[in-house]
Amino acid sequence: MFSSVFRRDYHQYTNNNKNIITHIKQYTFHIIYTLILTILQWVVKYIKPITHFMTYHTSTLLITILHPKSHGTVTLTSLNQIRIDPAYLTDESDLDTLVNAWNQSTRIKDTVMNKCWEILPGSLYKVYSSLSTWWRESKVDEEVIITYAKQFIQPYFHYIGTCSMISHANQSNSNEEEAVVDENFKVIGIQGLRICDASVFVDCISAPTALTCASLGYILSDILIKEEEEEEVR
């Protein structure tokens, strides 16, 4: 994680300074980065006390934004290369959401994890961030959260919606054309085929998809049982 942040900050600095020296620095840095990452992976994998500690004596509290307002871009460069800019946290509302979620998570840390020692962001990071933002007019606590999030943010996503469902109660001409399955999970236009997974979602939900998919499975099982009972009656 530390090496990833270091790499990200370095590339952000060098992206607008393309010359021979910059390229040499980038390749040198990539070698150093790979070496550090390999050593860390080897240490965690083969030194048993560290492996035991990382496996059984650490916990992670993740804050995610499943409905971000920030939207990135995908462009094709003159060299026919794809350039992806995710534009993470560029919308102010995402920063507000992140700060609110962070403040809520503090309650969890103070209760469930009150006997734990916080590694990241930790006291040293808070002191560093406080010193680097003391001259700003905004709240230091919020600046620490935002700075930390921007440096350590990672993508979090679920593939959904490729076989979007339509409900007969809310169907219209527009979404009827886009729908792949109906409200009974039947693929429209194909007999004997159903789809029941995250691909039937019509939009991103505000939670991980596993439990919702399990619920869909229960709903489909009820549908199949009822259809079987109706068939037996006939």
Side-chain angles (χ1 to χ4, degrees):
M1 187 177 292
F2 279 118
S3 55
S4 297
V5 172
F6 185 41
R7 178 180 62 176
R8 183 183 301 138
D9 287 346
Y10 181 82
H11 282 296
Q12 185 176 1
Y13 170 77
T14 57
N15 275 341
N16 297 323
N17 299 277
K18 295 296 183 182
N19 52 50
I20 298 298
I21 302 299
T22 299
H23 283 293
I24 293 176
K25 288 181 179 180
Q26 284 183 335
Y27 282 115
T28 304
F29 179 85
H30 181 72
I31 294 173
I32 297 173
Y33 163 78
T34 305
L35 181 61
I36 293 174
L37 195 60
T38 303
I39 292 174
L40 291 175
Q41 290 174 341
W42 184 87
V43 167
V44 171
K45 185 175 181 179
Y46 293 106
I47 300 183
K48 298 303 180 182
I50 296 180
T51 304
H52 179 82
F53 175 80
M54 296 296 293
T55 305
Y56 298 103
H57 298 281
T58 58
S59 58
T60 304
L61 181 62
L62 298 177
I63 298 175
T64 63
I65 302 178
L66 292 180
H67 288 274
K69 298 295 189 298
S70 302
H71 294 283
T73 57
V74 178
T75 56
L76 188 65
T77 67
S78 58
L79 300 176
N80 289 330
Q81 295 177 340
I82 296 177
R83 178 174 296 170
I84 301 175
D85 177 18
Y88 293 136
L89 300 180
T90 53
D91 193 291
E92 291 294 329
S93 61
D94 285 343
L95 297 178
D96 294 337
T97 301
L98 189 66
V99 171
N100 291 332
W102 188 289
N103 292 332
Q104 293 295 325
S105 70
T106 303
R107 300 180 183 179
I108 300 176
K109 291 188 293 184
D110 293 341
T111 54
V112 180
M113 303 177 180
N114 60 335
K115 295 182 179 180
C116 298
W117 176 57
E118 184 178 331
I119 299 176
L120 288 171
S123 300
L124 290 178
Y125 186 89
K126 292 179 181 178
V127 171
Y128 159 74
S129 298
S130 298
L131 291 176
S132 64
T133 58
W134 67 270
W135 52 272
R136 299 183 184 179
E137 296 180 356
S138 57
K139 293 182 180 180
V140 173
D141 290 342
E142 292 187 3
E143 288 293 336
V144 171
I145 295 171
I146 293 172
T147 303
Y148 176 80
K150 286 183 176 181
Q151 289 180 339
F152 286 88
I153 191 171
Q154 299 291 337
Y156 178 83
F157 52 85
H158 294 282
Y159 296 106
I160 64 169
T162 53
C163 298
S164 181
M165 177 184 286
I166 183 174
S167 171
H168 292 301
N170 299 314
Q171 74 179 30
S172 63
N173 293 332
S174 59
N175 61 18
E176 186 176 4
E177 295 176 356
E178 299 173 356
V180 177
V181 300
D182 61 18
E183 58 187 1
N184 292 317
F185 302 94
K186 293 181 178 180
V187 177
I188 299 174
I190 300 179
Q191 242 182 347
L193 178 61
R194 301 181 195 250
I195 297 177
C196 182
D197 56 24
S199 62
V200 305
F201 294 179
V202 295
D203 196 3
C204 183
I205 60 176
S206 298
T209 57
L211 292 179
T212 306
C213 289
S215 300
L216 291 179
Y218 280 111
I219 293 173
L220 178 57
S221 65
D222 287 339
I223 293 174
L224 294 176
I225 290 172
K226 290 179 181 178
E227 289 183 356
E228 183 70 21
E229 291 174 348
E230 291 175 357
E231 188 69 24
E232 291 179 356
V233 171
R234 294 175 186 174

